[in-house]
Amino acid sequence: MAAPRDVDESFLALPLSALTEAALTRAVDLGCEHADLRVERIRTQAISLRDARLEALTDGEDLGLAVRVVHEGTWGFAAGVVLTAAEAVRLAEQAVAVAKVSAAVASDRVELAPEPPHEGAWVSAYDVDPFGVPDAEKTALLTEWSERLMAADGVEHVQSGCTHVKEQKYYADTAGTRTRQQRVRIHPEFTALTVDRTTGAFESMRTLAPPVGRGWEYLTDGRWDWGAELAQIPELLREKTKAPSVEPGRYDLVVDPSNLWLVVHESVGHATELDRALGYEAAYAGTSFATVDQLGSLRYGSELMHVTGDRVVEQGLSTIGWDDEGIEAQRWDIVRDGVLVGYQVDRNTARLGGMARSNGCAFADSPRHVPVQRMANVSLQPAPDGPDLDGLIGGVERGVYVVGDKSWSIDMQRYNFQFTGQRFYRIEGGRLAGQLRDVAYQATTTDFWGSMRAVGGPSTYRLGGAFNCGKAQPGQVAPVSHGCPAAVFEGVSILNTVQEGGR
């Protein structure tokens, strides 16, 4: 599981043991049933270019410590930025004071699912630390690739950029767990835009390369063919501007993983977070139609549907060694043979849901924030002997092939949704027959997944994902990946977005 490198020495040199001893000893002395300490350093850099010229380059670092306690069945939390034993003691006392005040309004007693103590270090799989690459070198590469797009006929503007993050965490608790880990993630992106000077209408097209848990080598080692993708975009954009508008109706869809990952995220990932299913996120992120009473019986989709929660897949954005409650990373079933069989939980919601153990879905995006239940890498599994993409398209007489994500809308119970995409192609007689415009597809979650009649094989499987999934109050963001194959969905409702907009 661990990559062949260690957590940076500059982080390990922080007074981790002294902070642990001070905070946890004081919390136990004050009568806490549980206490944990996190020390985190999160470095972020964002580079953006407009028309091949540097627009902004920002660096940020968030370093601090957090103490969380359970005192007489109630949560308490405090965070600070001074890494001294005295500050750790003060934060433990403040966290207990918060728990005492909160006890007056707490409706449920906090009980944590058990977890054996863990000791160790884990580093994500990457080769080149992006923070070790000179800024000038990174900017030069983005500039060169932007200029390639700018030089193409019809491309009026290019927006490009790259965001990368290095996240280092130390976790300790009163059960004896002591873990150290380091993750690196990166998201390069290029968008070309064309303008019709006669009508003023514009159209855009973005690279499909997803954000990944890799280093700067993502742009240089050839495992993602950036050259080919950048070379294709101008012609694809020209074809899109001349494409006919779609005729609304019901079509069979072949959905590429570059689009399907977002449907998995919105309609399965969020819907199977147990805190939402229990109503704890109703005020902000919403609840879920997949309620606990339906576990083991809800027909989520066709029998071809197998969805896993996964915190161990290599290069996943939500991949870890241990979560922010010291739970060892795991992989488990969420939907099996089309039936809801599992949720994503942390230690407290595991108890509330009657589960013996957390599956490790606690995450805080900063040392200033309390860990909340966040999404694992939730992925639709390919059919082991399933067809390739040509085989899937070849089985469709009249349909639409959907590529790339764009906009989406879904209700607070994760049931009624609408998605668009980067590109849509007509399928006629099992072959692609040119692009379409103004397309959106619409369904309910169970109808859509119930209509899945073919799942692609491993050759069609890709990891998609996002850096900035939002949840919780105060708001937090979390990175998460979703793997999926291409798949065929039967008789899905297609809308014409121009007609729907009354234009």
Side-chain angles (χ1 to χ4, degrees), residues 365-385:
D365 69 354
S366 157
R368 293 171 283 111
H369 286 156
V370 67
V372 292
Q373 187 192 305
R374 296 312 308 265
M375 205 180 295
N377 303 304
V378 174
S379 300
L380 174 69
Q381 297 304 305
D385 56 353

Side-chain angles (χ1 to χ4, degrees), residues 53 115 144 184 196 222 277 288 297 335 338 354 404 409 436 441 502:
R53 294 183 178 180
E115 178 75 8
E144 179 192 340
V184 169
D196 185 326
S288 173
S297 63
V335 177
S409 175
L436 291 166
Y441 62 96

Side-chain angles (χ1 to χ4, degrees), residues 181-487:
Q181 50 191 337
Q182 178 168 294
R183 299 197 294 171
V184 169
R185 50 187 177 270
I186 190 166
H187 187 195
E189 197 170 49
F190 296 81
T191 301
L193 187 142
T194 188
V195 180
D196 185 326
R197 295 295 178 186
T198 305
T199 65
F202 62 89
E203 193 59 81
S204 65
M205 192 162 292
R206 175 166 47 84
T207 46
L208 300 181
V212 292
R214 299 189 61 195
W216 186 252
E217 74 277 2
Y218 186 35
L219 290 96
T220 61
D221 69 2
R223 292 170 66 183
W224 185 272
D225 194 343
W226 290 95
E229 184 168 29
L230 292 171
Q232 291 170 352
I233 281 180
E235 180 55 35
L236 291 171
L237 184 56
R238 279 193 290 274
E239 182 186 358
K240 186 176 182 180
T241 60
K242 299 174 183 175
S245 196
V246 70
E247 183 69 27
R250 290 196 173 274
Y251 294 80
D252 291 349
L253 300 188
V254 179
V255 186
D256 191 83
S258 57
N259 182 273
L260 191 57
W261 77 266
L262 186 55
V263 185
V264 172
H265 176 87
E266 300 293 348
S267 70
V268 185
H270 279 307
T272 58
E273 295 169 316
L274 185 57
D275 57 345
R276 296 180 64 122
L278 293 170
Y280 284 82
E281 284 290 325
Y284 180 55
T287 58
S288 173
F289 76 95
T291 51
V292 177
D293 59 306
Q294 301 180 88
L295 183 65
S297 63
L298 174 64
R299 172 54 65 181
Y300 216 108
S302 80
E303 292 184 351
L304 300 173
M305 187 181 187
H306 178 202
V307 177
T308 57
D310 188 342
R311 302 216 72 177
V312 300
V313 63
E314 189 170 280
Q315 297 168 356
L317 295 170
S318 187
T319 299
I320 53 166
W322 304 269
D323 78 349
D324 286 358
E325 295 185 321
I327 306 299
E328 189 172 32
Q330 303 160 42
R331 184 176 187 268
W332 68 98
D333 284 347
I334 293 176
V335 177
R336 183 84 198 185
D337 299 329
V339 176
L340 175 69
V341 296
Y343 285 102
Q344 305 159 72
V345 301
D346 58 19
R347 294 184 72 177
N348 189 41
T349 53
R351 277 291 198 193
L352 293 171
M355 300 168 192
R357 186 189 180 201
S358 167
N359 47 37
C361 291
F363 174 75
D365 69 354
S366 157
R368 293 171 283 111
H369 286 156
V370 67
V372 292
Q373 187 192 305
R374 296 312 308 265
M375 205 180 295
N377 303 304
V378 174
S379 300
L380 174 69
Q381 297 304 305
D385 56 353
D388 61 13
L389 182 60
D390 288 342
L392 291 171
I393 292 172
V396 174
E397 182 60 29
R398 173 179 177 270
V400 175
Y401 174 46
V402 187
V403 181
D405 65 89
K406 200 167 186 181
S407 64
W408 74 97
S409 175
I410 189 165
D411 68 32
M412 297 292 274
Q413 282 70 50
R414 302 283 141 177
Y415 194 62
N416 300 283
F417 64 65
Q418 179 173 308
F419 288 85
T420 65
Q422 291 275 327
R423 301 196 298 272
F424 294 87
Y425 295 85
R426 287 183 295 130
I427 302 174
E428 292 180 358
R431 303 183 65 178
L432 297 184
Q435 289 193 51
L436 291 166
R437 296 187 60 179
D438 314 320
V439 183
Y441 62 96
Q442 187 180 64
T444 68
T445 293
T446 50
D447 283 349
F448 180 77
W449 291 109
S451 74
M452 187 168 66
R453 68 169 170 82
V455 176
S459 68
T460 73
Y461 187 85
R462 298 285 185 277
L463 271 182
F467 257 36
N468 56 350
C469 173
K471 190 179 174 184
Q473 293 176 292
Q476 298 191 36
V477 295
V480 60
S481 290
H482 300 285
C484 49

